[in-house]
Amino acid sequence: MIFIRQTSAAVVLVTLTLSLQCAGMVVVIAWARPRFAPEVLRLGAIRSAILVMRLMTAFIGLHLLEILLWAGFYRWLCFTSWESAFYFSAASYATVGYGDVVLPWTWRTLGPVESIIGVLMCGLSASFLFAVVSTLVDREVRASDTAITVAGDTTPGTRVRGAEAARRGRSTVSIS
């Protein structure tokens, strides 16, 4: 009977954690999407750094909400104080697991479950940030390495890509 109770609690907590992570990622993607529109060639170093910092802050907040979800359960059934519940939850979620605060025997299997879900959620956030940084670097490199000036265009600072020059019917281009 204890195992069924532990398993049921784990399933509910994992489902809620996954739902929270997915909802948070949807919000972050919707917020960040305009910054990656096709007409935005590059953001520049400062704006790119600010974007990454904002995304990291959003993910830290999201992970804190997930830790609080688990801490709420621990406070409800396992610990007498919020401090102990949050401390244990954060240590488990981050897979630190000091062992100075432990769950009661009847709930002890939830600690490893939270550690597994914490690793997966942090990995999901890290992979999203990696994709964002890769995209920003790729756009920066493409914008700076492939910019060319159309020969014969006298407008100062006119920069086009090779494909655009071909569409304009220019066969002669010069690297600026």
Side-chain angles (χ1 to χ4, degrees):
M1 190 65 176
I2 291 173
F3 181 72
I4 293 173
R5 207 168 132 197
Q6 290 175 350
T7 304
S8 299
V11 167
V12 168
L13 287 167
V14 166
T15 302
L16 290 173
T17 303
L18 290 172
S19 299
L20 189 58
Q21 181 78 16
C22 290
M25 298 255 329
V26 165
V27 169
V28 169
I29 289 168
W31 175 80
R33 180 174 239 151
R35 283 117 184 120
F36 294 101
E39 64 273 3
V40 178
L41 184 59
R42 65 192 263 196
L43 295 177
I46 300 295
R47 289 175 52 201
S48 293
I50 290 170
L51 175 63
V52 171
M53 286 174 46
R54 286 180 171 176
L55 291 171
M56 288 172 49
T57 302
F59 281 125
I60 289 169
L62 182 59
H63 291 295
L64 283 174
L65 287 175
E66 292 166 4
I67 289 168
L68 281 171
L69 170 71
W70 287 78
F73 177 84
Y74 296 144
R75 172 61 179 94
W76 178 42
L77 290 174
C78 302
F79 296 116
T80 57
S81 73
W82 274 102
E83 188 272 334
S84 293
F86 182 80
Y87 175 78
F88 178 82
S89 181
S92 294
Y93 190 89
T95 68
V96 175
Y98 289 120
D100 53 344
V101 176
V102 294
L103 290 174
W105 183 83
T106 56
W107 294 107
R108 67 184 178 171
T109 58
L110 289 182
V113 172
E114 185 180 6
S115 295
I116 292 167
I117 203 74
V119 165
L120 291 173
M121 297 304 100
C122 289
L124 187 59
S125 297
S127 65
F128 180 83
L129 289 170
F130 180 80
V132 166
V133 170
S134 294
T135 300
L136 291 172
V137 169
D138 184 50
R139 284 183 171 202
E140 193 70 26
V141 167
R142 280 188 295 151
S144 63
D145 285 350
T146 62
I148 55 174
T149 303
V150 176
D153 192 343
T154 58
T155 310
T158 301
R159 297 165 84 71
V160 296
R161 298 196 176 280
E164 186 176 339
R167 270 182 290 175
R168 291 183 181 184
R170 315 275 179 157
S171 60
T172 309
V173 294
S174 61
I175 303 293
S176 59

